[in-house]
């Protein structure tokens, strides 16, 4: 059974940093999304199996997606956090390619359970 296990959420003041982790391997594309209650999941960043990364404009320059050398753990380093970054964050994975875009949520079959990030002003 496919499992993606996230960790690293929490509460932080504006301007602070957090790093999210997602344990999972064997996919050609992994990504991070976030979601507010009642809203659609927003794609933030993706990493292709060839190492290419893509970012949404809302997080470009502040967030960094990466994997460990063994490609068993996905990370999202979040810096300069803002109150509007408050959301539930999810990792996602699938056997698709994502060198040129952050694929929308409906392109991913596998999801983590989510981890809450709260940024206070």
């Amino acid at each position: 059974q496919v499992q993606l296990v996230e960790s690293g959420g929490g509460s932080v003041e504006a301007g602070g940093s957090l790093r999210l982790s997602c344990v999972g391997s064997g996919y050609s594309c992994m990504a991070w999304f976030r979601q507010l209650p009642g809203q659609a999941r927003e794609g933030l960043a993706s990493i292709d199996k060839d190492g290419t990364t893509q970012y949404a404009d809302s997080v470009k320059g502040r967030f960094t997606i990466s994997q460990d050398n063994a490609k068993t753990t996905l990370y999202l380093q979040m810096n300069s956090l803002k109150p509007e970054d408050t959301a539930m964050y999810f990792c996602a994975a699938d056997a698709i390619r994502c060198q040129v875009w952050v694929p929308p949520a409906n392109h991913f079959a596998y999801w983590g359970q989510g981890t809450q990030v709260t940024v206070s002003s």
Side-chain angles (χ1 to χ4, degrees):
Q1 183 175 354
V2 174
Q3 279 192 318
L4 299 174
V5 181
E6 300 152 358
S7 61
S11 298
V12 66
E13 293 185 352
S17 299
L18 284 173
R19 189 177 78 161
L20 306 182
S21 300
C22 173
V23 177
S25 62
Y27 309 100
S28 54
C29 177
M30 298 190 75
W32 287 99
F33 288 76
R34 65 187 178 192
Q35 186 175 29
L36 290 171
Q39 296 188 19
R41 290 185 181 183
E42 175 192 9
L44 303 176
S46 63
I47 185 165
D48 188 83
K49 66 178 182 178
D50 69 0
T52 305
T53 58
Q54 295 290 339
Y55 294 92
D57 288 343
S58 59
V59 302
K60 196 174 295 183
R62 298 190 299 124
F63 292 9
T64 303
I65 189 171
S66 64
Q67 290 177 296
D68 64 348
N69 288 339
K71 296 189 177 182
T72 59
T73 304
L74 180 72
Y75 300 104
L76 185 68
Q77 178 66 43
M78 305 186 293
N79 298 328
S80 302
L81 282 162
K82 306 174 183 179
E84 51 263 44
D85 294 318
T86 295
M88 185 71 77
Y89 283 68
F90 298 87
C91 64
D94 213 318
I96 57 176
R97 302 304 299 271
C98 53
Q99 300 108 312
V100 297
W101 68 333
V102 181
N106 61 4
H107 282 59
F108 292 92
Y110 308 109
W111 293 86
Q113 79 282 4
T115 186
Q116 178 68 35
V117 171
T118 301
V119 185
S120 59
S121 58

